[in-house]
Amino acid sequence: MQRRDFLRSVAGAAAGAAIGPQRAGGTGGARAQGEIPRRALGQTGLEVPILGLGGFHVGSVGSEAEARRVVEVAYEEGIRFFDNAESYQNGQAERWMGSALRGIREQVMLMTKTFDLAGRNAEGAKRHLEGSLQRLQTDYLDLWQLHSVRSVEDVDRAFGPDGAMAYILDVQRQGVVRHVGVTGHADPAVNLRALEHFDRGIRFDVMQMPVNPIDYHQRSFQRTVLPALVERGIGVIAMKTSAQGRLATDGICTVEECLRYVWSLPVDVAVVGMERPDLVRRNAQTARAFSAMSDTELNALRERIRPRAAIELEWYKA
């Protein structure tokens, strides 16, 4: 489903009703056999494969050699979107990923984030950027994001005159950072607050948030924030696509069902944590075989798991 069709469907829904099941906004046109589908990342002008590698899990494997192998296999499988954050394992995730991407840096989209809940100021963001560039062994970022906004007050501080977002936008103008974004895990209302600042002229390119089948039933990002992003042409990065594995380990639905569900929405790329090469290969195969769920399939999955909905499954919201 194209973004305009998704919006038309949402606009036609009754007030307070759930948005109906939607198909994804294209796959970037025809692709070679065996290639991961690609989608436009909002209005950035970039096209990215629909599967990205989560940096937190790269930093949590047993050794740098294991992390390197995960990154290498991801690249071999056609993944070109690499997620990270300066806060992951005190910078270890960035160091390991930066080392593993040496020699292929120019062929990938590299993203990291700044997280400073206490300050959210330009000084902290500047310190984080300098450290991230050094650890990732690069002199620019394809995407840099204000990470994990937690409250309305947190957003307002970050978007204030001396806040982190002012610095993020400044280095974007300098070309050190090509695109900028915001991530939020806990409360859709907080992400919507960031969109209020967007509407006042503090523009960013993408937003990253939890999207998975159980999210539909509880404090839902896909039912509130996703339509607002589509309306504004902001790129959508999904995370927590299986609620950090809980939907699979608790027998609620499979990882494959979760990914197919997410990609059947207007999501541009799903960042997935994968600690082992076999998980990378399996998820890449799921991406290559992707076909959008029909409305009937989406509704059936939502109704099947509805009785299992519990906010504890998505601890990051609680």
Side-chain angles (χ1 to χ4, degrees), residues 25-31 37-40 47:
T27 59
R31 66 185 190 275
R38 303 175 74 89
R39 292 182 180 168
E47 276 201 348

Side-chain angles (χ1 to χ4, degrees), residues 21-85:
Q22 309 299 332
R23 296 188 184 181
T27 59
R31 66 185 190 275
Q33 186 175 6
E35 185 178 84
I36 294 177
R38 303 175 74 89
R39 292 182 180 168
L41 183 61
Q43 296 179 350
T44 64
L46 299 171
E47 276 201 348
V48 294
I50 60 176
L51 178 64
L53 180 66
F56 181 86
H57 293 76
V58 170
S60 62
V61 301
S63 69
E64 183 174 353
E66 292 176 78
R68 176 181 296 277
R69 185 59 185 149
V70 169
V71 172
E72 288 174 346
V73 170
Y75 187 81
E76 291 166 5
E77 291 289 332
I79 292 172
R80 295 294 182 269
F81 189 96
F82 290 83
D83 159 275
N84 222 306

Side-chain angles (χ1 to χ4, degrees), residues 3-281:
R3 286 174 175 250
R4 62 180 179 275
D5 299 324
F6 176 75
L7 280 173
R8 190 178 300 117
S9 174
V10 173
I19 61 174
Q22 309 299 332
R23 296 188 184 181
T27 59
R31 66 185 190 275
Q33 186 175 6
E35 185 178 84
I36 294 177
R38 303 175 74 89
R39 292 182 180 168
L41 183 61
Q43 296 179 350
T44 64
L46 299 171
E47 276 201 348
V48 294
I50 60 176
L51 178 64
L53 180 66
F56 181 86
H57 293 76
V58 170
S60 62
V61 301
S63 69
E64 183 174 353
E66 292 176 78
R68 176 181 296 277
R69 185 59 185 149
V70 169
V71 172
E72 288 174 346
V73 170
Y75 187 81
E76 291 166 5
E77 291 289 332
I79 292 172
R80 295 294 182 269
F81 189 96
F82 290 83
D83 159 275
N84 222 306
E86 53 78 27
S87 57
Y88 293 165
Q89 295 86 29
N90 294 316
Q92 178 171 277
E94 288 185 328
R95 283 192 295 273
W96 287 358
M97 183 174 284
S99 177
L101 289 174
R102 194 161 44 209
I104 56 171
R105 164 67 186 96
E106 298 294 329
Q107 282 72 58
V108 305
M109 182 168 182
L110 183 58
M111 177 263 282
T112 195
K113 318 179 195 81
T114 172
F115 177 70
D116 180 14
L117 186 60
R120 293 293 193 193
N121 55 40
E123 181 182 354
K126 181 177 185 293
R127 184 177 65 253
H128 290 167
L129 179 61
E130 291 170 351
S132 290
L133 291 174
Q134 182 180 36
R135 289 186 292 270
L136 289 166
Q137 302 183 35
T138 186
D139 57 3
Y140 72 97
L141 296 172
D142 297 289
L143 173 61
W144 193 33
Q145 300 204 80
L146 177 72
H147 190 35
S148 189
V149 290
R150 303 290 181 86
S151 67
V152 167
E153 295 75 19
D154 183 27
V155 171
D156 289 345
R157 188 164 59 249
F159 277 79
D162 300 315
M165 185 55 71
Y167 180 76
I168 291 170
L169 292 172
D170 185 44
V171 292
Q172 182 187 30
R173 286 188 289 269
Q174 296 174 34
V176 179
V177 171
R178 293 182 173 176
H179 304 286
V180 302
V182 178
T183 87
H185 307 60
D187 185 349
V190 177
N191 292 51
L192 291 173
R193 181 66 165 196
L195 291 178
E196 291 180 25
H197 288 280
F198 177 94
D199 291 340
R200 297 185 189 115
I202 304 178
R203 298 302 178 95
F204 47 90
D205 304 301
V206 303
M207 181 171 280
Q208 185 169 345
M209 61 188 185
V211 183
N212 61 63
I214 211 74
D215 166 83
Y216 186 85
H217 299 297
Q218 53 192 31
R219 204 176 295 170
S220 179
F221 285 84
Q222 66 193 268
R223 291 171 62 175
T224 56
V225 182
L226 183 57
L229 297 177
V230 170
E231 182 179 20
R232 290 161 177 80
I234 296 171
V236 181
I237 302 175
M239 61 179 166
K240 309 289 191 290
T241 53
S242 61
Q244 287 199 314
R246 285 291 302 275
L247 300 186
T249 58
D250 286 25
I252 295 171
C253 52
T254 67
V255 169
E256 289 77 13
E257 285 178 310
C258 289
L259 288 173
R260 190 175 175 218
Y261 177 90
V262 169
W263 289 326
S264 296
L265 300 173
V267 165
D268 302 326
V269 57
V271 167
V272 180
M274 298 173 275
E275 303 95 337
R276 304 190 312 272
D278 63 299
L279 296 179
V280 176
R281 294 189 183 99

Side-chain angles (χ1 to χ4, degrees), residues 284-305:
Q285 178 55 38
T286 299
R288 284 190 289 268
F290 168 70
S291 62
M293 286 184 170
S294 67
D295 293 355
T296 300
E297 289 176 296
L298 283 161
N299 271 333
L301 177 58
R302 288 166 176 158
E303 289 307 307
R304 192 186 90 207
I305 69 174

